[in-house]
């Protein structure tokens, strides 16, 4: 049972435009969400997180939106740059702070110059 | 801040040998460290969670006698793949979390190839 889903395996965007990556979850116990960026043969790099008490968190070009009623979150990258091309994973942490993260399958973003 | 290192970055070994991978948090104390495995074109699979000074908790289907985890200090955890076989070839990644934090910071990964 996939508790965190990224239904789009890939996304292609023109440089300078907005990239929107989506993530859905099924477990109501999740109360902390994170986005990671990963290049091949490297470990994931933390980008941004959001607690369930918020519906938006912004850090530079990255904004994460959380819609708890829809169990949906999204990552917006504006403006997109060619260096943003990578695999993006969303992850969820259940309440109770065990620290365990449940990852989505990842979305490959390609930003074209 | 929040830098995690892994050593070695890649290793090739013969079938039947044991391989040790180190994971270090360089600028923070990691009360909890996690070990993941990633197969090609797949997401990260959590293998085990280790808390400093206690035994690791393994995920279902992960053999604890095969993958030995030690978390002896707040900055170091090790994963030993014992009697490695070709099917153990994979990309192993560790992550670390500070005591009050909820964000995991990942190491760069270790590529293991068992011949």
């Amino acid at each position: 049972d996939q508790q965190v889903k990224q239904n789009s395996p890939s996304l292609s965007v023109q440089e300078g435009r907005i990239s929107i990556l989506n993530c859905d979850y099924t477990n109501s116990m999740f109360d902390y969400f994170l986005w990671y960026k990963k290049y091949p043969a490297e470990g994931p790099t933390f980008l941004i997180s959001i607690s369930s008490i918020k519906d938006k968190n912004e850090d530079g070009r990255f904004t994460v939106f959380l819609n708890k009623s829809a169990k949906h979150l999204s990552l917006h990258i504006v403006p997109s740059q060619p260096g943003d091309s990578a695999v993006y994973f969303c992850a969820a942490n259940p309440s109770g702070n065990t620290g365990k993260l449940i990852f989505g399958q990842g979305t490959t973003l390609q930003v074209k110059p | 801040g929040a830098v995690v290192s892994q050593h070695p970055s890649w290793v090739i070994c013969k079938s039947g040998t044991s391989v040790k991978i180190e994971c270090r948090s360089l600028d923070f104390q990691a009360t909890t460290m996690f070990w993941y495995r990633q197969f090609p074109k797949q997401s990260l699979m959590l293998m085990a969670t280790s808390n400093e000074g206690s035994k690791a908790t393994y995920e279902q289907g992960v053999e604890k006698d095969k993958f030995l985890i030690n978390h002896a200090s707040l900055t170091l955890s090790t994963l030993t793949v014992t009697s490695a076989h070709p099917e153990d070839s994979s990309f192993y990644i560790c992550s670390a979390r500070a005591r009050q934090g909820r964000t995991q910071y990942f190491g760069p990964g270790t590529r293991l190839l068992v011949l």
Side-chain angles (χ1 to χ4, degrees), chain A residues 31 36 93 97 99-100 104, chain B residues 38 43 59 97 102 104 107:
Chain A
D31 67 349
Y36 289 88
N93 179 219
N97 203 11
K100 191 170 174 176
Chain B
Q38 185 182 30
S43 186
E59 295 298 300
R97 185 185 72 126
R102 299 192 70 175
Q104 289 183 29

Side-chain angles (χ1 to χ4, degrees), chain A residues 48-50 54 56-65:
Chain A
I48 192 168
S49 62
I50 188 167
K54 295 185 175 182
K56 176 183 174 181
N57 189 25
E58 190 173 353
D59 184 0
R61 296 186 298 116
F62 302 95
T63 303
V64 55
F65 295 92

